[in-house]
Amino acid sequence: MKILLTGATGYLGSHLARAFIADGHQVVVLKRQTSSLHRLIDIEGRVNFYDVENLDLARPFEEQGPIDAVVHTATCYGRAGESVSEVFAANTSFPLRLLETANLFNTDTFINTDTILHSNLNAYSLSKKQFADWGSQLSADNQIRFLNIRLENMYGPGDDSSKFTTWIIEQCLANVTELKLTLGEQQRDFIYVDDVVSAYQLLVNQRNELKEGFLSVDLGSGKLVSIKEFTLLVCELSKSKSKLKFGALPYRKSEIMHSSANLDSLNRLGWRPRVSLDVGIQHSLREIKDRQQGNLIKTLRNKK
């Protein structure tokens, strides 16, 4: 099977690229010219890359086709000062052009990575919702199968420090003097990256067995855990000496207090999450410790 993948240089996308190749699939990647390939070093020679700048999207379909499925994970959060129009271009306009091109070349399935955030929260969530609506529209016209994955709070080893989960783990490991936090009453659904990847693999491999032209599935652990509970567990497992100051910060405007996945759709396909929260955190702690130790060794060698 040939899979066209966006966002492969990112955290989730790199894990998916590696998993798809391990499954025996051929992977074609759309990326930016400036994107670092450090997450793909071990499989770089087994992937066909296309830079999206000034690219006719028909080209990878013509040169690498037929493409069986598109898996779209690339996104723009708007955290780097992007304008509303830039967020819209990245999250709505670009994937819509890709969806239309995939349909033109008879790709049977487009798998989209959506957010669980409400559409009216910010430009990011609105643009993601708008694209999902377009996917629903095109699939209703029997043009292409559109699978929309509403991803909950993914975490795991090697994730970006900008993520709350990684940041908390790193801060606790560093034994910072104090961590100023909200009350931590927000309840989240934390899902380990390997479980996320296994769900995508299942949907790719069973896509032709799905009767729906449009299917929206929640992807999470199905369990609610408060931010406070998560933070306390990280502190305990890391044996951190950091002082946790819950309530030192106010909640953000429009803070989501409860978010959990309804796993009925994935459960019917035979999928279940396998990695518990404490085990997932332990894996993340181990990776960061190993990385820090490796950096220390490099520093000592450079001083010799």
Side-chain angles (χ1 to χ4, degrees):
M1 181 190 308
K2 287 187 179 180
I3 299 172
L4 189 148
L5 175 64
T6 74
T9 60
Y11 184 62
L12 172 58
S14 62
H15 279 77
L16 289 175
R18 201 168 286 106
F20 290 152
I21 288 175
D23 286 343
H25 303 313
Q26 297 180 51
V27 176
V28 179
V29 166
L30 297 186
K31 70 173 187 67
R32 295 183 183 277
Q33 290 178 340
T34 56
S35 296
S36 171
L37 299 181
H38 74 279
R39 294 186 186 275
L40 301 173
I41 290 177
D42 57 321
I43 59 169
E44 184 177 350
R46 303 174 64 185
V47 175
N48 292 301
F49 292 100
Y50 287 84
D51 293 333
V52 297
E53 288 83 1
N54 302 314
L55 174 70
D56 180 351
L57 289 179
R59 185 181 161 200
F61 290 87
E62 292 170 340
E63 295 181 351
Q64 304 294 332
I67 301 293
D68 299 291
V70 173
V71 178
H72 176 54
T73 70
T75 196
C76 174
Y77 294 102
R79 297 170 179 164
E82 296 90 348
S83 66
V84 170
S85 60
E86 289 173 324
V87 173
F88 175 83
N91 295 339
T92 308
S93 180
F94 167 72
L96 181 55
R97 289 191 293 113
L98 181 58
L99 177 60
E100 289 179 312
T101 305
N103 179 59
L104 180 66
F105 283 88
N106 299 313
T107 297
D108 61 68
T109 304
F110 192 107
I111 299 178
N112 179 52
T113 307
D114 198 3
T115 177
I116 50 88
L117 299 176
H118 300 303
S119 62
N120 61 354
L121 185 64
N122 52 38
Y124 161 73
S125 59
L126 177 58
S127 62
K128 297 292 284 186
K129 173 61 176 174
Q130 288 172 330
F131 176 59
D133 286 344
W134 278 112
S136 176
Q137 179 65 50
L138 266 66
S139 64
D141 295 336
N142 297 316
Q143 295 187 48
I144 192 170
R145 181 187 295 111
F146 192 94
L147 306 182
N148 192 57
I149 299 178
R150 289 166 32 89
L151 182 59
E152 288 282 346
N153 290 264
M154 178 182 65
Y155 72 100
D159 203 354
D160 296 331
S161 297
S162 60
K163 297 282 189 68
F164 170 78
T165 48
T166 306
W167 179 78
I168 283 293
I169 291 171
E170 290 178 342
Q171 295 299 298
C172 285
L173 272 178
N175 288 308
V176 296
T177 304
E178 64 178 25
L179 280 172
K180 293 183 178 181
L181 305 160
T182 66
L183 286 173
E185 299 166 311
Q186 315 96 303
Q187 293 182 308
R188 297 288 184 264
D189 186 329
F190 297 101
I191 179 167
Y192 190 67
V193 61
D194 288 358
D195 283 333
V196 173
V197 169
S198 70
Y200 276 81
Q201 289 174 289
L202 178 71
L203 289 171
V204 165
N205 294 328
Q206 295 192 14
R207 71 193 192 287
N208 290 327
E209 299 176 21
L210 302 174
K211 297 179 181 180
E212 301 92 338
F214 175 85
L215 178 63
S216 187
V217 300
D218 289 356
L219 178 50
S221 67
K223 298 179 179 179
L224 278 174
V225 176
S226 73
I227 294 294
K228 184 174 184 177
E229 290 173 314
F230 179 87
T231 305
L232 288 172
L233 182 57
V234 170
C235 190
E236 176 187 350
L237 294 175
S238 64
K239 297 181 174 56
S240 179
K241 298 178 182 178
S242 300
K243 183 177 181 180
L244 306 178
K245 301 191 70 174
F246 293 106
L249 299 177
Y251 290 127
R252 296 176 299 180
K253 183 180 179 181
S254 303
E255 180 71 75
I256 297 174
M257 298 305 295
H258 305 280
S259 179
S260 64
N262 182 337
L263 301 182
D264 289 348
S265 295
L266 283 173
N267 288 167
R268 283 195 292 270
L269 294 173
W271 180 87
R272 298 287 189 283
R274 296 182 178 181
V275 182
S276 65
L277 185 59
D278 60 334
V279 170
I281 290 174
Q282 288 171 349
H283 288 331
S284 299
L285 287 167
R286 190 175 304 115
E287 184 273 338
I288 293 175
K289 288 179 180 178
D290 290 344
R291 176 157 40 91
Q292 290 175 341
Q293 184 175 12
N295 291 338
L296 177 59
I297 292 175
K298 288 181 181 179
T299 300
L300 292 175
R301 285 176 178 172
N302 291 335
K303 288 182 177 180
K304 289 183 178 180

